[in-house]
């Protein structure tokens, strides 16, 4: 039987591109999304062979929902070889606005608790098998905080730290933990951004590089590599220079904001 990949956030953007790349490599697909009809339409349009994929409805921000989807996958398709916790949200926030505290809680519920809940159903079984890969999708935004992006940057910094912790826990069991940090990818999450996005990549280009990184079992990679260089340089900047460089930079859309 061909290998199996479990992917959350499969209805658009990076998740959809990863699903297609893994399918073309011969993997069976376990695709998780809230909008399951959209995933079904997409799979048919791509000509993905019936029987080579299953679609599971889940809300990643609800731990019971995504855990149930993982268990259903094991029961229906077997234990995945690769699990990609891709689902995430990106919303601007203003700490002075009370409603944005709820935005922050929503962001953490999806990007952090949801990521751990995605991995949860598979950990013990992968350890017992002595093989598997758990892939967390971080972001270069998690390397240094950007004005107006407090919730998103903090959540992605937590993804990076969490995956590093999990990697240390599972290393001796033969289970790989891979952290991928995309730069700017042309998806619905970025298309409303009001600022320059250097080294903007198409989702299929990102998916191809991500696929090879996962297959190689790398522990951490920024894609594209140029954004990794930029992020490291920003990390090295003294705070005064960093703050000056970002002064006046447009902020990310807040929830419900027109622009």
């Amino acid at each position: 039987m061909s290998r199996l990949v479990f992917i959350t956030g499969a209805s658009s953007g990076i998740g959809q591109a990863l699903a297609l790349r893994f399918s073309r490599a011969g993997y069976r697909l376990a695709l998780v999304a809230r909008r399951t009809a959209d995933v079904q339409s997409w799979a048919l349009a791509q000509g993905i062979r019936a029987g080579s994929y299953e679609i599971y409805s889940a809300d990643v921000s609800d731990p019971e929902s995504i855990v149930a989807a993982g268990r259903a996958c094991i029961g229906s398709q077997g234990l995945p070889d690769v699990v990609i916790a891709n689902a995430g949200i990106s919303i601007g926030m203003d700490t002075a606005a009370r409603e944005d505290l709820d935005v922050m809680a929503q962001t953490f519920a999806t990007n952090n608790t949801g990521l751990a809940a995605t991995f949860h159903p598979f950990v013990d079984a992968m350890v017992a098998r002595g093989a598997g890969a758990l892939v967390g999708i971080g972001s270069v935004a998690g390397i240094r905080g950007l004005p107006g992006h407090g919730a998103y940057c903090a959540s992605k910094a937590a993804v990076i730290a969490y995956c590093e912790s999990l990697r240390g826990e599972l290393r001796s069991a033969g289970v790989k933990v891979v952290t991928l940090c995309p730069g700017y990818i042309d998806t619905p999450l970025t298309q409303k951004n009001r600022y320059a996005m250097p080294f903007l990549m198409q989702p299929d280009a990102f998916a191809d590089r991500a696929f090879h990184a996962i297959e190689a079992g790398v522990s951490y990679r920024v894609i594209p590599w140029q954004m990794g260089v930029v992020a490291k340089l920003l990390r090295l900047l003294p705070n005064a220079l960093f703050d000056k460089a970002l002064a006046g930079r447009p902020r990310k859309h807040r929830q419900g904001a027109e622009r």
Side-chain angles (χ1 to χ4, degrees), residues 4-257:
L4 174 65
V5 60
F6 182 94
I7 305 174
T8 63
S11 60
S12 65
I14 287 175
Q16 206 169 77
L18 286 167
L20 185 58
R21 182 63 182 85
F22 274 86
S23 176
R24 288 175 173 168
Y27 275 74
R28 293 176 297 127
L29 306 177
L31 305 176
V32 183
R34 289 178 297 174
R35 304 191 302 274
T36 56
D38 290 352
V39 180
Q40 181 66 57
S41 298
W42 169 82
L44 291 172
Q46 295 297 326
I48 298 176
R49 180 175 54 82
S52 68
Y53 68 94
E54 295 285 345
I55 302 170
Y56 303 91
S57 176
D59 180 352
V60 175
S61 68
D62 176 357
E64 290 304 318
S65 176
I66 186 59
V67 166
R71 290 173 175 164
C73 169
I74 293 172
S76 177
Q77 295 176 280
L79 178 63
D81 299 276
V82 179
V83 174
I84 305 177
N86 164 73
I89 58 175
S90 176
I91 307 170
M93 74 167 291
D94 180 350
T95 304
R98 169 61 186 86
E99 61 269 25
D100 283 7
L101 300 183
D102 298 328
V103 166
M104 191 169 201
Q106 178 189 7
T107 302
F108 286 178
T110 301
N111 296 0
N112 302 114
T113 305
L115 179 140
T118 297
F119 291 160
H120 167 75
F122 308 110
V123 171
D124 283 347
M126 283 186 171
V127 168
R129 184 177 62 189
L134 302 173
V135 183
I137 303 296
S139 171
V140 292
I143 296 173
R144 188 140 198 187
L146 304 171
H149 293 61
Y152 184 68
C153 289
S155 74
K156 291 303 184 178
V159 166
I160 295 168
Y162 166 80
C163 287
E164 187 169 46
S165 297
L166 189 63
R167 187 174 76 243
E169 295 167 16
L170 298 179
R171 184 175 63 86
S172 63
V175 179
K176 297 183 182 300
V177 178
V178 178
T179 307
L180 298 180
C181 291
Y184 293 112
I185 314 298
D186 188 10
T187 70
L189 280 180
T190 61
Q191 286 166 0
K192 291 184 178 181
N193 286 348
R194 299 173 291 184
Y195 41 80
M197 295 184 286
F199 310 112
L200 181 69
M201 292 185 77
Q202 293 303 307
D204 58 345
F206 169 82
D208 185 62
R209 297 186 195 184
F211 173 80
H212 288 294
I214 293 166
E215 289 286 281
V218 302
S219 59
Y220 176 89
R221 181 160 295 173
V222 176
I223 303 173
W225 65 266
Q226 294 94 332
M227 281 303 298
V229 174
V230 171
K232 285 183 179 179
L233 291 175
L234 290 176
R235 182 72 269 173
L236 292 172
L237 276 182
N239 287 346
L241 292 179
F242 178 78
D243 294 345
K244 185 175 181 179
L246 270 66
R249 183 178 188 265
R251 298 191 176 193
K252 193 168 189 68
H253 285 273
R254 292 174 56 239
Q255 187 163 270

